Amino acid sequence: MTEEEVNPAGLEKSEEVASDREAGKIESKKYVYSFKEGKKEMKQLLGGKGANLAEMTSLGLPIPPGFTISTEACQKYYDNDEALPKNIQEEVENKLKELEEDTGKKLGDNENPLLVSVRSGAAKSMPGMMDTVLNLGLNDESVEGLAKQTGNDRFAWDSYRRFIQMFGDVVIGINNEHFEKVLDNIKEEKGVEQDTELETEDLKKIVERYKDLFKKETEELFPNDPKEQLSMSIDAVFGSWNNSRAIKYRNLNSIKGLIGTAVNVQMMVFGNMGKDSGTGVAFTRNPSTGEKKMYGEFLIDAQGEDVVAGIRTPEKIDDLKEKMPEIHSQLSDIKENLEKNYKDMQDLEFTIEKGKLYILQTRDGKRTANAAVKIAADMVEEGLVKKKEALLRVDPNSLNQLLHKQLSQEEKETRDSIAKGLPASPGAAKGKVVFDSDEAADRAHEGEDVILVRKETSPEDIEGMHAAKGILTSRGGMTSHAAVVARGMGKCCIAGCSDLNISENEKVVEVNGKVINKGDILTLDGGTGEVYEGEIEMVEPDLRGNFAKIMEWSDEFRDLGIMTNADTPEDAKKAINFGAEGIGLCRTEHMFFEESRIKAVREMILSETKDARKKALDKILPMQKEDFAGIFRAMYEKPITIRLLDPPLHEFLPKEDEDIQNLAKELGVEPQDIKKKISDLYEFNPMLGHRGCRLAISYPEITEMQSKAIFEAAADIKSEGGNVKPEVMVPLVGNVKEFENQKKIIDDVAKTVQNEKGIEINYKIGTMIEVPRGALTADKIAKKAEFFSFGTNDLTQMTLGISRDDAGFLQNYDELGIYDKPFQSLDQEGVGELMKIAIRKGKEENKNLKVGICGEHGGDPSTIEFCYNEGLNYVSCSPFRVPVARLAAAQANVKKENNGL
Amino acid sequence: MTEEEVNPAGLEKSEEVASDREAGKIESKKYVYSFKEGKKEMKQLLGGKGANLAEMTSLGLPIPPGFTISTEACQKYYDNDEALPKNIQEEVENKLKELEEDTGKKLGDNENPLLVSVRSGAAKSMPGMMDTVLNLGLNDESVEGLAKQTGNDRFAWDSYRRFIQMFGDVVIGINNEHFEKVLDNIKEEKGVEQDTELETEDLKKIVERYKDLFKKETEELFPNDPKEQLSMSIDAVFGSWNNSRAIKYRNLNSIKGLIGTAVNVQMMVFGNMGKDSGTGVAFTRNPSTGEKKMYGEFLIDAQGEDVVAGIRTPEKIDDLKEKMPEIHSQLSDIKENLEKNYKDMQDLEFTIEKGKLYILQTRDGKRTANAAVKIAADMVEEGLVKKKEALLRVDPNSLNQLLHKQLSQEEKETRDSIAKGLPASPGAAKGKVVFDSDEAADRAHEGEDVILVRKETSPEDIEGMHAAKGILTSRGGMTSHAAVVARGMGKCCIAGCSDLNISENEKVVEVNGKVINKGDILTLDGGTGEVYEGEIEMVEPDLRGNFAKIMEWSDEFRDLGIMTNADTPEDAKKAINFGAEGIGLCRTEHMFFEESRIKAVREMILSETKDARKKALDKILPMQKEDFAGIFRAMYEKPITIRLLDPPLHEFLPKEDEDIQNLAKELGVEPQDIKKKISDLYEFNPMLGHRGCRLAISYPEITEMQSKAIFEAAADIKSEGGNVKPEVMVPLVGNVKEFENQKKIIDDVAKTVQNEKGIEINYKIGTMIEVPRGALTADKIAKKAEFFSFGTNDLTQMTLGISRDDAGFLQNYDELGIYDKPFQSLDQEGVGELMKIAIRKGKEENKNLKVGICGEHGGDPSTIEFCYNEGLNYVSCSPFRVPVARLAAAQANVKKENNGL
């Protein structure tokens, strides 16, 4: 286990180094590192790709030689008005000389030319977001050298024309369509259809026309000097760090704190040099199931892009055993070597050039939740990692996948699939077919379930993929863009389903004679790759085996309590099943909405006197008492935090005219009276209105009734021989006097009930901290309250001054990187600061104060880590987030321990 | 000048003493003080009444002897389960013995009985809220003694029956009606109507029946033992400290931090013992005009209550000169003596018993603003106080009265108001009733005086409100739109006048049966909330003389800058006239509402593309530029803080169907499109929605246009030879990235304009701190911003989580003492805490950071003191609050200086 891997915070450390250097504290003039000089721990400086290439070089693996221009150079590039400073240019030239010496080849040489790739590589993976240039070094002289060297004229000229096209597109920004047009014209002139039908002479003609195109577009000649090509390409890659696509990607993926990308310059190797060549990708274990068996795909006589792009359908890696047994065995050894070194499952890219294996990249492999859990458990069994380390290998958020439903096996057996593709990412999904990412996003926003159907996906589809329930593509393999991204999202995906005949323009797909239109319903089984027409029932997941093991280890290492938000005995049971230790938030308002009691609730609201209100409340009391008794029974002796009525009263009144008429009839009042009440209760900003304890202070009889229901139910359970520890939570307290007002009512009722029943009840009274003022005056409140529970939903709304219901503009904010989804993951800088103030002030006044969180953030891993580090006693989250929280809490412990070392 | 008077914070000091004692740090067993032992500085311990009686005793004035049981004893009373502890009871008995020795009388004696009064008296005056017992010491024996002593049987028995009645009512809680019934019965039996017609024998009969009543109600005999009477009465007075009436009074009057009331036991003297007796009240100067001349009233042969109760019409104090010249001359001497000692105008109560003068009470006299200003100025002239001390004698809030037109007091007294609402904005106004803002503007334009009568107002009414002389609404509280805007404009406004039954369509209002039609004349008194039919004469304010003197002295002593909130050149000029040093808040949205440009604004809002928006904004640009130029000219070189557009866009769209139709016609679009836009822009919580810089981040072209208008206007003024220092303020910043986003736009425009015009403009860019997160991350924002201005209106709403528009429940909160009018006076405990955090963090990062406040709190004296103490550079308030702020700021300086001594 390396420091960097265990500690994502290593990032900040590296940043510090960088800024120390800037400040002149560390004298360092080195910006370019040979692969022989680096190691995997230098990710911040060399980028992920560069650091891993260096690591593998030092492990003695067959890596094409090269060097990395560091992320600090990227910073200098931007400091220097988007140009690489002289001193770094010189360093690059020196490293290039070294590379020429090491390879015995020479850039631009007409005998034995060195060709290089120029690729981006930041500390965090941003696939496809930045620029890449291949075959660099080709010019009118070296193309001859390449021809001689390879004995293949056509290959050399094809490489040359590809290089000009890529350089023109990527480095200069010439529209790629212009190049394609040239290509098409030549094919037309020659009367052929496929690129492969073109001969050397045709390719030479294309090169000439490409150069003409280049001159026309740029008013400059295509640079014949390979060093100029290189320097322009390096600038282009650094420049691509801040293209709008990359910025948007970083903002959307919360990639923060990076200083730039590194640039890797590496000797080209070719997988497209004949039947003894090829290229492929391999996982050291199965990324879908976690099985300990090399998994991957390859193509003979092809370049790397061909595998990823999904144009040709690749072969399984097992087949390599037969076709190239030595290569397969070498790969197997490398697999073992890498896992031993990285202590994690790896995803590697390789190329075979004329029978020689090269590794071009390795990185921690993306995997399904199922695979992650199995790999983590297996690696502990294998003695490869310790339990604590294994826990860090599983992304808590991914566990969500395991908790969700699968297709009903029985129903599936009665149905025929209409097509079968690659099971690219497990799970099941059903929804309406859409062919367009924007439409997917729009419809999902309106609450519809959609299946995104595409020939293939590209980074531009990310948003639509996020929004869709499932993704279905007709092209590409298990490592295609769609597959990789969907697995990362834990989203059901079927890729390479070649039976589909998709017409994206006409919004229709033809499948083996069937026509599926936009809006028709499909069901996907991501575990098998099967596609079904219409809906299929879904069933609950299985939580035993490796999942249970990871959960058990999590509980072994975590200190933070994991509670759940549950309002019904059913939810409570589900959460206990998922490992919850109690209820951190039991909302009482849903009980008010139930058919059987809403009438009494409305009667209460329409009452003009306290007596009338009490009469209505008396009708609700026995029902509410039964609610609590049910939950108490479900939870046995586990603590239960019950929040008193929170929403504004107008939420309980009917809105439609018809409903108002009916209610009036039922209650024997005039519809006009109800309308007047609705108008009286209207609020401009209900979020900041008459609700929570404010309501209960206006109508203390509501708190009386609810307290009575709680304590009478508790007394009943105790008299049945059970035990129960209700914790009564007063909502929306911003001022200790509000709390005192409510506490007195609750205590008085508790006293009365205990006396009447002759039963002692062990209870606590505390409050939500969800109003900024509550946090700011936590010292005063903590003198009276026994516990705090941060209601971070409202606290975020009020602290940021942003209503969740009106936060359409936040999408723009996301893209601009202003806020990072503050309603999903705690805004630690702002809301977190307020929480720290409240915790400090609260604990100073009351050492025994119990502190938790019950906003939706309570199920978010990074928030959980924050909560643990700030000394909270527990987090409370929805039942489905409980396993996520258990693992995230354990990781928080392990990370803290590691940081402390 | 005594410490206590200059420093209201002395209160806390005294509290500390009390708690030190509790903690045993100071050993003190003394709870009862003879009048000879105290002095006026001991108000916290002895209550106001007790301390002043002691002070006057030590000055040698004729004070009936007595003693005070301290406020600390009150605390002990409550600590001891509402009973006076033994040791204090013993102290009382000792003091009583002393009193008997001093007076030569004896409690309960049948020859020369001592009668005492038992009165409450806290450190702050709470008139009528707590209990009082008079004539204590009378029983079956001492009534004879009193008869002998006074030679007046009837007087003695009448006193006795009064005592039983008062004791039964106040101490025991017997319903007073029972006693009145007995009295009525006897009168009926005797066939008389007046109490005075009863003879001694009748009174004796009443005493018997009172005793029977007492026994029947309490099952106890009336206590014949005067010591028991005394001890019960003391307990009752202490007990009345926490009766609900007293608690409510303290909450409503923001009386905080007191530990309890003191109890004064004092020898009774009688003003109703014949023609040589009497009673009265006197002010040492005229409390209405401030004239240096004793002012007051008296009644011959009467008790104190008779003067206050207003049953008999009292005579003017001047008449005493003739009737009792010696007493008058003695009173005059006492007046001089008291003013010299208290250094303030005094309000005193006296009784003349058989030709001998007694002073029963003195306290600082309440006075009108006019009187306060004159008295303060005169006392400096007289050498009685220094300027600094004189400033503390004037209540800053009262100055408001002096700045507005007032109704002629004489004419008012002859007229009855037809309705009464909330005095939302002071001043007086008369004019013709209109129900429509456009009509108000039209008629005003034609030179008519109009009163705008509306159910409630909205931003669309701004123009009409500007045009009207006064505003009258039937809904909304002191912080409703009408109230807030009217106060800002310094315009008379009565809000929430629920007696009005307004039919805006039919242009008629029904008030308590009266019908007022459009065009009828109403007169409003904004200081009292009274509405009159027809005209009442008005008098103009005079800002010269003493007022000018107080303002001048204020400026001499204050350090805090006083800016104003002004959106128009007219307001700006008015504020300068009142002494403002610049504009702290110039809102730009009112400019958008004006008739001439609202169309372009709406066109901008309805634009679907950036280009269309820009086109519409281009139309607004020259108008907005002219707005700024006008204000710049009005302010000369004074700083001007301009806030960029703040309200949500939907505020600018029409609401009524007719207006929508018209707009559609004007713009050549479908009404449906406008309705869709209105529905798209609908927000659940507009307070927390898409407004402020959020809007400007979505539509940067708005900021571009506004910046262009600002800088082009500034450049024009400079080229005219003027100078101008615009400070551009970005609203609603919660995140430094929002600020950076806007700052870049503003800086870019500034650069462009300066280059184009070849003129350098001295400008600043800063932000409102009005979102809690902005305060919490002030360190980050201060790195980029040149100034902060606390927008405490929104900051209070968000920190407390209370929408001003929906804060009806706050009235209940006021009564319960939960919040103390947080939208009028800064909630220092909560919002103040957040401000302190922001100030600390901001100044740590940016030493040159200018910090001010521009919420409505900026004109509130206690907020101003807070701002000064927290190191703010300035406060900004509406023009009419500027004089208030100047005085309050000076007082803050003086108080701090005094505290420092």
Side-chain angles (χ1 to χ4, degrees), chain A residues 683-688 694 735 737-738 771 773 799-801 803 806 813 817-819 827 833 841, chain B residues 683-688 694 735 737-738 771 773 799-803 806 813 817-819 827 833 841:
Chain A
E683 294 186 312
F684 293 96
N685 296 290
M687 172 71 217
L688 307 178
R694 297 167 189 175
N735 189 318
K737 289 177 190 163
E738 295 174 313
V771 172
R773 195 184 191 281
T799 304
L800 272 56
S803 156
D806 305 305
Y813 269 41
I818 294 176
Y819 282 118
D827 161 37
E833 179 69 17
K841 287 189 166 190
Chain B
E683 294 186 313
F684 293 95
N685 296 289
M687 171 72 217
L688 308 178
R694 297 165 190 175
N735 188 318
K737 289 177 190 163
E738 295 175 312
V771 171
R773 195 184 190 281
T799 304
L800 271 56
I802 296 175
S803 155
D806 306 305
Y813 269 42
I818 294 176
Y819 282 117
D827 161 39
E833 178 69 17
K841 286 189 167 191

Side-chain angles (χ1 to χ4, degrees), chain A residues 256 682-691 693-695 697-698 732 734-738 741 771-774 776-777 780 797-806 809 812-813 816-819 827-831 833-834 837 841, chain B residues 256 456 682-691 693-695 697-698 732 734-738 741 771-774 776-777 780 797-803 805-806 809 812-813 816-819 827-831 833-834 837 841:
Chain A
K256 279 180 285 193
Y682 173 80
E683 294 186 312
F684 293 96
N685 296 290
M687 172 71 217
L688 307 178
H690 195 203
R691 65 188 191 90
C693 69
R694 297 167 189 175
L695 211 56
I697 287 169
S698 297
L732 214 70
N735 189 318
V736 65
K737 289 177 190 163
E738 295 174 313
N741 175 299
V771 172
R773 195 184 191 281
L776 291 163
T777 60
K780 293 175 181 74
Q797 295 194 83
M798 295 183 199
T799 304
L800 272 56
I802 296 176
S803 156
R804 271 211 298 192
D805 295 324
D806 305 305
F809 65 88
N812 184 27
Y813 269 41
L816 294 170
I818 294 176
Y819 282 118
D827 161 37
Q828 295 182 19
E829 186 176 284
V831 181
E833 179 69 17
L834 201 51
I837 291 171
K841 287 189 166 190
Chain B
K256 280 180 283 195
E456 57 200 328
Y682 174 79
E683 294 186 313
F684 293 95
N685 296 289
M687 171 72 217
L688 308 178
H690 195 202
R691 64 187 192 92
C693 70
R694 297 165 190 175
L695 211 56
I697 288 169
S698 298
L732 215 71
N735 188 318
V736 65
K737 289 177 190 163
E738 295 175 312
N741 175 299
V771 171
R773 195 184 190 281
L776 291 163
T777 60
K780 292 175 182 72
Q797 297 195 79
M798 295 183 198
T799 304
L800 271 56
I802 296 175
S803 155
D805 295 323
D806 306 305
F809 65 89
N812 184 28
Y813 269 42
L816 293 168
I818 294 176
Y819 282 117
D827 161 39
Q828 295 181 20
E829 186 176 282
V831 182
E833 178 69 17
L834 202 50
I837 291 171
K841 286 189 167 191

Side-chain angles (χ1 to χ4, degrees), chain A residues 554-574:
Chain A
S554 294
D555 291 347
E556 215 168 283
F557 293 111
R558 76 175 157 88
D559 291 323
L560 195 64
I562 309 296
M563 312 281 278
T564 193
N565 301 350
D567 308 343
T568 63
E570 297 72 49
D571 275 1
K573 279 176 202 152
K574 192 187 292 160

Side-chain angles (χ1 to χ4, degrees), chain A residues 601-658:
Chain A
V601 173
R602 288 169 172 174
E603 194 181 320
M604 186 265 291
I605 295 170
L606 293 165
S607 301
E608 289 301 329
T609 67
K610 187 168 180 157
D611 279 345
R613 252 191 317 275
K614 277 195 164 170
K615 233 176 91 186
L617 285 165
D618 281 346
K619 295 183 193 167
I620 305 171
L621 175 64
M623 301 187 259
Q624 181 116 95
K625 187 176 151 187
E626 218 17 75
D627 293 327
F628 292 133
I631 291 177
F632 290 161
R633 282 192 196 100
M635 295 305 285
Y636 299 96
E637 304 209 343
K638 294 189 168 70
I640 297 168
T641 307
I642 298 167
R643 182 178 71 182
L644 300 179
L645 193 68
D646 185 54
L649 293 183
H650 50 71
E651 285 196 8
F652 297 100
L653 292 180
K655 274 152 203 75
E656 303 301 325
D657 202 56
E658 195 189 325

